[in-house]
Amino acid sequence: MLKQILIFSIFLPLFAADIEPIDQEAKVDTPRALLGKRLFFEPMLSRDNTIACASCHFLPGSGADAQVVSLGIGGKKGVINSPTVLNSRYNFTQFWNGRAKSLEEQALSPIHNPVEMGESIENVVDKLKNSSYNEKFLLVYKDGVTAHNVVDAIAEFERALITPNSQFDKFLNGDENALTQSALRGYSLFISKGCIACHNGKNIGGNMYQKLGNIIPYSSKNPSKGRYDVTKDEKDINYFKVPSLRNVALSAPYFHDGSAKTLKDAIKDMSEHQVGAVLSSDEVDDIEQFLISLTGDSPKILELENE
């Protein structure tokens, strides 16, 4: 195995270009991002003033939800597993089905969703104008509280949610001792089994759509049909945005339907359905260690005081 690792290390430059380290700093407008941070935790965005963005996207933490589906206003159950907001600035679209082309569109959608927040942006603006937020907005935006400025601030906060300095990033940046031998073997398997074909780029995912059940059909009780729900094109059935693997060790349960309870379950299921490989328990352990090495620092914006 040592010989294999040495050979793999020699050819590492051929593969390293497929995955890039996370930026050290998030280029954001800090006052706008801090206002957005306050709004992210603000339940006034919902109709009954009980649900905030953070209700389904835990921060600090995974940026996702530990439940299979999240609960919205009145205890209503969502229909799909909440994706993480961490490093979402690197996604080419937002949501599992890619229906939002920007973080601004993504920020607005839960407000209008009758199961999630069940509110209108017009009512949100009225509520914020008649609260202490009125002054806070005027410090950041000349025109104060508007629909545009509400989603703009939330999106700017989400752009700040980057997680640099994972052990794997340190490895990519030249620290040969950053990864354990198990994680290094896992990275080799990640490449040789074909996982890197879909999970690549700066976010190690989030940059393409792929069919769930590419080799072996994937059966799910979840009603979502992926991109088909947006395009109504039958060729898009079960095509989903490939999720980022960054911080994946924190964000169980996995997949759009939350069916994989553990990281090992997710590794075995994806290996079988996506690349047609049955892994040994040792291979699963090694890939798991590689995925654990993708956990980065908590976003710096979370340490700053709200303005």
Side-chain angles (χ1 to χ4, degrees):
M1 180 55 71
L2 178 59
K3 182 179 180 181
Q4 289 176 315
I5 292 173
L6 289 174
I7 293 173
F8 171 63
S9 298
I10 292 172
F11 288 99
L12 174 62
L14 296 177
F15 304 113
D18 290 330
I19 300 178
E20 305 169 45
I22 285 285
D23 300 315
Q24 285 293 314
E25 299 288 339
K27 295 180 180 179
V28 296
D29 182 298
T30 301
R32 285 164 55 205
L34 286 174
L35 177 57
K37 175 184 174 183
R38 185 182 290 274
L39 292 169
F40 193 88
F41 290 88
E42 178 54 69
M44 273 202 295
L45 270 61
S46 65
R47 189 178 69 213
D48 60 4
N49 302 321
T50 63
I51 301 295
C53 305
S55 301
C56 306
H57 301 281
F58 300 160
L59 294 174
S62 68
D65 195 341
Q67 301 184 80
V68 171
V69 294
S70 302
L71 300 180
I73 57 170
K76 295 178 181 178
K77 279 190 173 184
V79 295
I80 202 164
N81 185 253
S82 294
T84 182
V85 292
L86 296 178
N87 303 303
S88 55
R89 69 179 296 159
Y90 301 119
N91 293 333
F92 82 127
T93 58
Q94 307 299 326
F95 298 117
W96 283 101
N97 59 17
R99 66 184 181 275
K101 293 183 173 61
S102 68
L103 286 172
E104 286 79 6
E105 285 186 39
Q106 180 273 324
L108 181 61
S109 181
I111 295 174
H112 289 163
N113 190 304
V115 174
E116 296 178 40
M117 293 180 171
E119 185 58 287
S120 69
I121 190 63
E122 293 78 16
N123 285 345
V124 168
V125 169
D126 287 341
K127 285 192 280 188
L128 295 176
K129 279 184 175 180
N130 290 295
S131 72
S132 60
Y133 276 101
N134 197 50
E135 290 184 8
K136 299 181 192 306
F137 268 82
L138 288 170
L139 291 173
V140 180
Y141 298 98
K142 291 182 180 179
D143 50 350
V145 183
T146 67
H148 171 274
N149 294 345
V150 169
V151 296
D152 179 77
I154 295 172
E156 194 69 0
F157 169 62
E158 291 180 341
R159 289 190 182 94
L161 297 175
I162 65 170
T163 62
N165 298 320
S166 70
Q167 292 305 113
F168 184 67
D169 281 341
K170 292 175 183 177
F171 177 72
L172 290 182
N173 284 323
D175 184 352
E176 296 179 357
N177 299 314
L179 294 184
T180 65
Q181 293 300 302
S182 177
L184 190 57
R185 290 194 300 268
Y187 181 32
S188 177
L189 288 165
F190 185 82
I191 292 170
S192 65
K193 298 297 182 181
C195 312
I196 200 168
C198 298
H199 292 284
N200 53 56
K202 188 169 287 188
N203 218 9
I204 318 181
N207 57 0
M208 68 177 75
Y209 300 114
Q210 184 56 266
K211 184 178 181 180
L212 183 58
N214 188 44
I215 301 297
I216 297 177
Y218 182 91
S219 177
S220 176
K221 295 180 181 179
N222 189 281
S224 175
K225 294 184 178 180
R227 284 294 292 164
Y228 173 81
D229 296 335
V230 178
T231 68
K232 303 306 178 185
D233 186 335
E234 290 190 1
K235 291 183 294 185
D236 288 333
I237 292 176
N238 287 339
Y239 273 79
F240 294 86
K241 184 186 71 180
V242 175
S244 166
L245 293 182
R246 291 193 174 276
N247 309 291
V248 68
L250 307 178
S251 59
Y254 302 103
F255 313 151
H256 74 287
D257 57 4
S259 61
K261 306 304 181 187
T262 69
L263 196 50
K264 280 186 169 67
D265 290 339
I267 292 166
K268 289 184 284 188
D269 287 349
M270 284 297 95
S271 176
E272 177 183 354
H273 291 283
Q274 297 308 109
V275 298
V278 177
L279 302 174
S280 70
S281 59
D282 287 344
E283 288 175 323
V284 172
D285 288 344
D286 287 340
I287 294 175
E288 180 183 41
Q289 289 305 305
F290 164 63
L291 296 180
I292 289 171
S293 81
L294 302 178
T295 303
D297 292 345
S298 181
K300 291 181 180 178
I301 191 74
L302 298 178
E303 300 171 6
L304 300 180
E305 294 293 329
N306 289 336
E307 296 189 345

